[in-house]
Amino acid sequence: MNKILLLILLSCASVQTTFGQTDKHCLKGKLLNKGNPVSFSTIKLKNLSNEKSVNGTTSNEGGDFKIVDISSGQFLLSISSLGFKEYRDTLNFIEDINLGSINLDESSEYIDEVTVSVNQPKIRREKDRLIMDFSKEIIGENSLTLVNRLPGVFVLGESISIKGVSGGRVMVNDKFINLSGGDLTQYLLSLRSEDIESIEVIYQASAKYDASGGGGIINIKLRKNIEEGLNGRLGLDYSKGLGKFPGYSPSTSFKYKRGRFSTNLNLSYSKDKQFEQLDQSRSMLDSSRYIANNYDESTYRKKNIRFSTNYAISERSNIGIEYTGMFSELKDTLSSNSQLLMKDNINNINSLGIFSSLSKTNFSNIGLNYTWEMDSVGSKLQILGDFVYNGKRNKNETKSSQYRDGRHLSDTAFIFSNPNNVKITTGDLKYEKVIGKTSVFSVGSKISNTKIENNNSYDFANLNKADIGRFNFTYNYNELITAGYLLLETKFKGIDFNFGVRGEHTDIKGKVYGADQDTSITPSYFDFFPSFSSQYEWGENSKNVLILSANRRIDRPSYLELNPYRYFIDNYTTQTGNPYLTPQYTTTADLGYLFKQRYYLSLGVYKTTDVMNQVFITNTNDATMLITKQNSGKKNGMNLTLSIPHDFFPWWNTYNNFQLNRAKINAPNFSFVNNSLLVQTNHTFSFPKNWQASLNAFYTNGMVEGNIITDDIASVDLAIQKGVLKDKLLIKASVSDLFYTSGYTANSHYNDDIIRIKKRQQSRIFSISLSYNFNFGQIFELKDLTKSNVDEKNRL
């Protein structure tokens, strides 16, 4: 398989000769307004005699546009964008034309003697994705907050669901984030709105993307347009959890260009303290009752660095290097008070425990990108390479005491350590060939190797070294994934089609030895992942669009989930990994209708098999509970989504999303049907004298995650911002979760047990944010870098 893929891709270099040279021409340029990109504008080439359109495109989020396959001759160029005056020019095509930067003049409306500039559309839908523009977002927001505002996206704990389907993946600048769980959450918290241009929601990923991620993909696009010379930003956030703990985060970014060389540097540091209150209760079969009250405080310190540099070898080829580092320390202390209340209220058992942990993460990723644009119509070759190192040092200490009716019974004290080292090496080769006016053929391959060394050890104060040794074990993991894909994008009888297929072969060698659990895990499997989409447009300027799409995806277990460690959360609750977890597969289909390029209605269905559910396994004899993940049954669902943008006034814009979800879960130990509603509303206000405000809210009557069903969850966020010093300095004040309603209660189902869970955390936070921008020179574009280890890094 690997040899066949390699031969296919080596032949790509000669494809250009096979297709020959074209006598058509190419037009490209960049749209700007006062140095800022003008996104999603309509660019048309028209016949000079009757001004009928003969070709056209739209600018991307960076303001760039390109029209290919233009015949020789004279044409009228027309550029239009909401809020700007139309730009017109006559062009004579005898060769390719690069217009460079085009400045669009604003068109303003006057209301009550106050000039209010009309904003560009905040949301735009393309064939396989929704694009939400955050270029004018109020400062001081983090990317996790912005993700939770995306239509149809809901974040519950460390899980991201898209249209009711869990397993959503996150990318930054087309590169999957190589972190998961709490580390991913902290990374997203470190990305500020000032550095974010837009966020894309890719509902139906095509075959060119790694097959992992059943729920879809969220792609965060960072700002990339900077000025010739040096420019940047200095920022500071200070937050105070109302009634609780403060936090702060200074940050800075620098961007520099000289000639063909450009570079970008982002640095940030943050210190944050949080709390979480988690209460559990359940009735036992013998009519006894278990109650647990857990209170957790955590302090997080982290340093982040992102550095990229790019060199344009020629007009059509460039090479880039990018480095990302995250260095963090998490201190956590949990106090637990557990009670086992007997039926006759005699011999009740009470346990008090302190569970502390220290976790240090040393994460580094370096990537190399070479891109060659092989002709004037956009055919290109990409060679990508990546190396990731993730070193983690975890140390957990347990101290607990047990009492019966007030009499001391026993004490337990031990330390658990599980240091691990992860190394990932990947390589990618991609080729795209533009064929004629309407077709693009793509082929690519990838190879990825992951090695993990993990040592799990215990230290009991009352045991000697020989006795302790029998509890220790080592877990080593080696994974090799080879993949290839074919993709054809074409147009037939006015309908756009996208056909693709991706093949991935996974070979795993896992070894657990020690602690009487010597086990070898050696699965090897090959899967095909087809994708399809079609789009039909009609009406003036293609304002009405009908979209049909479907694909098959995979979610592999994270490396941590495969590690059979045991960690004591409280006196009666233990968490462990499962080395026998296998991937889950999700097949989805979606039919969408876009009306007047504004209003969107879609109906989606999905089916997930071999679901990796987090389950709570209870012991009715002693009230102990084990939290782990298992492949348990299947999940079927459907969703109905309605998106309605509305502008009440030129200074008051809203975007509203309504989503109905129905999920049916069938597993050996639990089965249920859940219907839910998700309502999201976002409001932005523009006032005179550089004042801005926002109101964002959501409500759901319940969400499903594994075998857990939540009750109502809601939140309202408010923010106000003022620009001073000619808008170079922005000052923001905000309150998140104003009414303190984002906490939730939930029921966990397993066998005949129902565990009632109540969770509350530091979500109502008052924040002050400052951001100062400095710049010198003319606008230029810092090219995006694409890295190759797009699947494996997310599973760390």
Side-chain angles (χ1 to χ4, degrees):
M1 180 64 188
N2 295 341
K3 292 180 179 178
I4 293 174
L5 290 172
L6 182 60
L7 288 173
I8 291 174
L9 290 162
L10 287 176
S11 66
C12 290
S14 63
V15 174
Q16 173 67 18
T17 303
T18 303
F19 283 99
Q21 298 295 322
T22 176
D23 57 354
K24 301 291 185 178
H25 309 298
C26 169
L27 170 69
K28 60 183 178 181
K30 175 186 287 296
L31 304 182
L32 302 171
N33 173 257
K34 297 180 180 179
N36 296 314
V38 181
S39 310
F40 314 132
S41 302
T42 301
I43 299 98
K44 292 182 179 181
L45 286 178
K46 299 180 178 181
N47 189 296
L48 282 177
S49 59
N50 55 21
E51 292 200 11
K52 287 186 177 181
S53 296
V54 296
N55 207 336
T57 186
T58 58
S59 61
N60 63 18
E61 69 276 5
D64 300 291
F65 69 88
K66 177 186 285 188
I67 302 177
V68 299
D69 209 28
I70 304 170
S71 301
S72 298
Q74 284 191 329
F75 296 94
L76 174 66
L77 171 66
S78 170
I79 301 175
S80 59
S81 182
L82 184 63
F84 297 92
K85 297 178 181 179
E86 183 184 10
Y87 177 92
R88 295 165 69 93
D89 194 8
T90 301
L91 303 177
N92 185 20
F93 286 92
I94 56 176
E95 60 182 0
D96 295 346
I97 297 177
N98 185 349
L99 296 174
S101 297
I102 301 173
N103 187 71
L104 299 185
D105 296 325
E106 293 182 358
S107 174
S108 301
E109 297 180 1
Y110 291 86
I111 302 175
D112 295 332
E113 298 183 355
V114 177
T115 302
V116 181
S117 295
V118 180
N119 291 325
Q120 301 174 58
K122 187 169 184 176
I123 289 194
R124 175 180 174 82
R125 291 186 180 269
E126 293 187 353
K127 294 179 182 179
D128 63 344
R129 68 193 65 194
L130 173 146
I131 302 173
M132 198 162 185
D133 178 20
F134 288 105
S135 62
K136 293 182 174 60
E137 183 68 21
I138 287 181
I139 67 163
E141 302 284 8
N142 60 71
S143 63
L144 186 62
T145 300
L146 300 182
V147 164
N148 215 21
R149 294 176 187 167
L150 298 171
V153 177
F154 189 78
V155 181
L156 180 63
E158 297 172 356
S159 175
I160 298 175
S161 63
I162 302 175
K163 287 190 173 182
V165 185
S166 59
R169 300 285 304 281
V170 178
M171 297 192 299
V172 173
N173 280 352
D174 303 312
K175 302 175 289 292
F176 284 96
I177 297 300
N178 40 10
L179 299 166
S180 64
D183 287 340
L184 174 60
T185 299
Q186 291 298 324
Y187 179 83
L188 293 177
L189 289 172
S190 70
L191 291 179
R192 294 168 53 103
S193 57
E194 296 94 304
D195 298 323
I196 296 174
E197 182 71 28
S198 62
I199 302 181
E200 303 174 346
V201 186
I202 305 173
Y203 298 107
Q204 296 286 343
S206 69
K208 69 180 179 181
Y209 295 98
D210 288 354
S212 183
I217 298 171
I218 293 169
N219 186 20
I220 301 171
K221 305 285 282 188
L222 302 180
R223 296 178 189 266
K224 59 183 181 179
N225 291 88
I226 59 178
E227 297 186 1
E228 186 76 28
L230 176 67
N231 77 92
R233 174 188 58 80
L234 299 174
L236 175 64
D237 293 343
Y238 175 82
S239 62
K240 174 71 174 178
L242 300 187
K244 284 294 179 179
F245 309 116
Y248 64 91
S249 176
S251 63
T252 186
S253 65
F254 298 92
K255 298 177 182 180
Y256 176 76
K257 180 182 183 295
R258 185 176 180 85
R260 296 183 177 184
F261 173 79
S262 59
T263 189
N264 181 21
L265 174 65
N266 291 79
L267 301 170
S268 66
Y269 171 82
S270 62
K271 180 182 178 182
D272 192 27
K273 189 172 184 179
Q274 298 281 334
F275 81 91
E276 179 179 285
Q277 178 74 44
L278 181 65
D279 300 327
Q280 303 176 40
S281 66
R282 79 176 192 265
S283 297
M284 315 289 284
L285 293 179
D286 61 358
S287 298
S288 60
R289 185 173 176 80
Y290 169 74
I291 300 174
N293 303 111
N294 299 330
Y295 178 79
D296 181 79
E297 288 186 5
S298 58
T299 301
Y300 211 112
R301 302 172 187 263
K302 64 178 180 290
K303 292 173 281 189
N304 293 283
I305 177 173
R306 294 195 309 273
F307 172 78
S308 63
T309 186
N310 187 87
Y311 180 72
I313 302 172
S314 66
E315 185 177 347
R316 291 183 177 176
S317 65
N318 65 82
I319 188 169
I321 299 175
E322 181 171 334
Y323 171 79
T324 301
M326 178 174 173
F327 312 94
S328 64
E329 178 183 277
L330 171 63
K331 292 182 178 180
D332 187 270
T333 302
L334 183 145
S335 302
S336 174
N337 185 347
S338 306
Q339 301 177 68
L340 184 59
L341 306 177
M342 301 303 179
K343 177 182 178 180
D344 53 8
N345 205 30
I346 300 175
N347 295 323
N348 296 331
I349 297 176
N350 179 233
S351 293
L352 302 176
I354 300 293
F355 305 87
S356 59
S357 65
L358 174 63
S359 177
K360 295 183 178 182
T361 299
N362 184 341
F363 169 82
S364 292
N365 173 212
I366 186 167
L368 174 69
N369 175 327
Y370 171 74
T371 302
W372 175 26
E373 203 169 296
M374 303 176 71
D375 55 34
S376 62
V377 295
S379 301
K380 66 179 180 180
L381 175 71
Q382 275 190 308
I383 302 173
L384 315 167
D386 256 53
F387 176 75
V388 168
Y389 171 78
N390 190 28
K392 212 170 181 65
R393 301 295 178 264
N394 303 312
K395 188 175 183 179
N396 306 277
E397 185 173 359
T398 295
K399 295 179 180 179
S400 65
S401 299
Q402 199 169 49
Y403 303 84
R404 174 173 290 157
D405 288 335
R407 300 189 307 274
H408 181 265
L409 294 179
S410 62
D411 295 313
T412 302
F414 66 92
I415 297 174
F416 168 60
S417 302
N418 61 326
N420 61 75
N421 297 304
V422 180
K423 298 177 182 178
I424 305 174
T425 306
T426 63
D428 236 328
L429 187 61
K430 300 179 180 181
Y431 176 76
E432 292 183 2
K433 174 62 185 178
V434 178
I435 306 171
K437 296 182 179 180
T438 59
S439 299
V440 179
F441 174 73
S442 304
V443 60
S445 71
K446 172 185 172 179
I447 185 168
S448 171
N449 181 242
T450 301
K451 294 183 178 180
I452 302 177
E453 298 176 354
N454 189 292
N455 296 304
N456 301 266
S457 62
Y458 294 85
D459 185 4
F460 292 88
N462 59 340
L463 295 178
N464 58 44
K465 290 185 178 182
D467 292 329
I468 293 175
R470 62 189 177 89
F471 292 98
N472 302 336
F473 68 94
T474 299
Y475 167 64
N476 291 331
Y477 181 92
N478 196 326
E479 177 186 83
L480 179 66
I481 298 178
T482 52
Y485 72 87
L486 300 172
L487 182 67
L488 176 63
E489 301 169 80
T490 189
K491 192 167 189 174
F492 180 71
K493 292 187 176 181
I495 303 177
D496 291 309
F497 290 97
N498 183 311
F499 304 93
V501 63
R502 186 180 186 90
E504 293 189 354
H505 180 267
T506 306
D507 186 63
I508 296 173
K509 291 181 174 60
K511 177 69 175 177
V512 181
Y513 50 92
D516 298 324
Q517 55 175 340
D518 290 3
T519 305
S520 292
I521 305 104
T522 58
S524 181
Y525 51 90
F526 177 81
D527 290 294
F528 281 110
F529 301 96
S531 65
F532 164 80
S533 68
S534 63
Q535 176 170 305
Y536 176 66
E537 303 175 354
W538 73 95
E540 184 181 356
N541 296 323
S542 301
K543 285 187 175 181
N544 303 308
V545 185
L546 190 66
I547 306 168
L548 176 65
S549 56
N551 67 8
R552 182 174 185 256
R553 307 279 288 169
I554 186 175
D555 284 292
R556 296 181 178 89
S558 72
Y559 308 121
L560 179 62
E561 291 168 340
L562 294 169
N563 178 11
Y565 67 94
R566 282 185 175 266
Y567 171 64
F568 293 86
I569 297 177
D570 58 34
N571 302 304
Y572 287 91
T573 310
T574 306
Q575 184 169 328
T576 184
N578 180 2
Y580 300 103
L581 269 179
T582 58
Q584 67 181 31
Y585 297 86
T586 301
T587 302
T588 62
D590 197 90
L591 177 63
Y593 172 53
L594 181 62
F595 179 61
K596 292 186 176 180
Q597 285 292 335
R598 287 177 62 84
Y599 309 102
Y600 183 72
L601 177 67
S602 74
L603 175 65
V605 295
Y606 65 91
K607 179 179 181 180
T608 303
T609 58
D610 298 322
V611 180
M612 293 185 296
N613 282 316
Q614 179 171 282
V615 296
F616 294 71
I617 304 173
T618 57
N619 188 323
T620 57
N621 296 322
D622 58 9
T624 58
M625 181 169 62
L626 180 69
I627 301 177
T628 188
K629 278 203 169 182
Q630 294 182 348
N631 294 100
S632 49
K634 61 183 180 181
K635 178 180 179 181
N636 299 321
M638 62 185 302
N639 51 72
L640 181 67
T641 302
L642 175 63
S643 298
I644 304 176
H646 183 69
D647 299 334
F648 290 102
F649 300 99
W651 51 269
W652 180 4
N653 312 116
T654 72
Y655 189 87
N656 309 284
N657 191 76
F658 306 88
Q659 182 175 297
L660 291 172
N661 297 302
R662 179 177 175 84
K664 183 178 181 180
I665 292 88
N666 288 308
N669 300 101
F670 54 91
S671 180
F672 54 83
V673 175
N674 182 69
N675 299 312
S676 64
L677 168 68
L678 174 63
V679 179
Q680 299 163 293
T681 181
N682 303 315
H683 301 251
T684 57
F685 308 90
S686 299
F687 301 116
K689 298 182 180 180
N690 297 330
W691 284 95
Q692 288 179 270
S694 69
L695 183 151
N696 301 281
F698 77 85
Y699 166 80
T700 178
N701 66 326
M703 299 297 291
V704 176
E705 181 61 33
N707 62 331
I708 298 176
I709 305 177
T710 74
D711 292 339
D712 295 3
I713 307 175
S715 181
V716 176
D717 302 338
L718 294 175
I720 188 166
Q721 176 178 292
K722 167 69 173 174
V724 298
L725 302 178
K726 296 182 179 180
D727 273 353
K728 289 184 177 294
L729 176 63
L730 300 176
I731 306 170
K732 185 203 82 167
S734 66
V735 178
S736 62
D737 194 11
L738 179 64
F739 301 106
Y740 204 32
T741 51
S742 66
Y744 61 87
T745 56
N747 289 332
S748 171
H749 299 259
Y750 196 83
N751 290 332
D752 295 324
D753 275 340
I754 296 181
I755 304 172
R756 188 66 172 169
I757 301 170
K758 183 178 181 180
K759 184 176 181 179
R760 181 73 70 182
Q761 56 190 7
Q762 182 166 296
S763 57
R764 183 165 56 182
I765 299 173
F766 173 75
S767 300
I768 293 288
S769 300
L770 304 175
S771 181
Y772 179 78
N773 295 280
F774 57 90
N775 58 80
F776 308 93
Q778 298 177 346
I779 294 293
F780 79 100
E781 176 181 325
L782 183 66
K783 294 185 178 291
D784 284 339
L785 298 177
T786 303
K787 296 190 288 187
S788 68
N789 51 343
V790 295
D791 179 29
E792 295 71 22
K793 297 181 297 180
N794 189 62
R795 297 165 56 211
L796 293 178

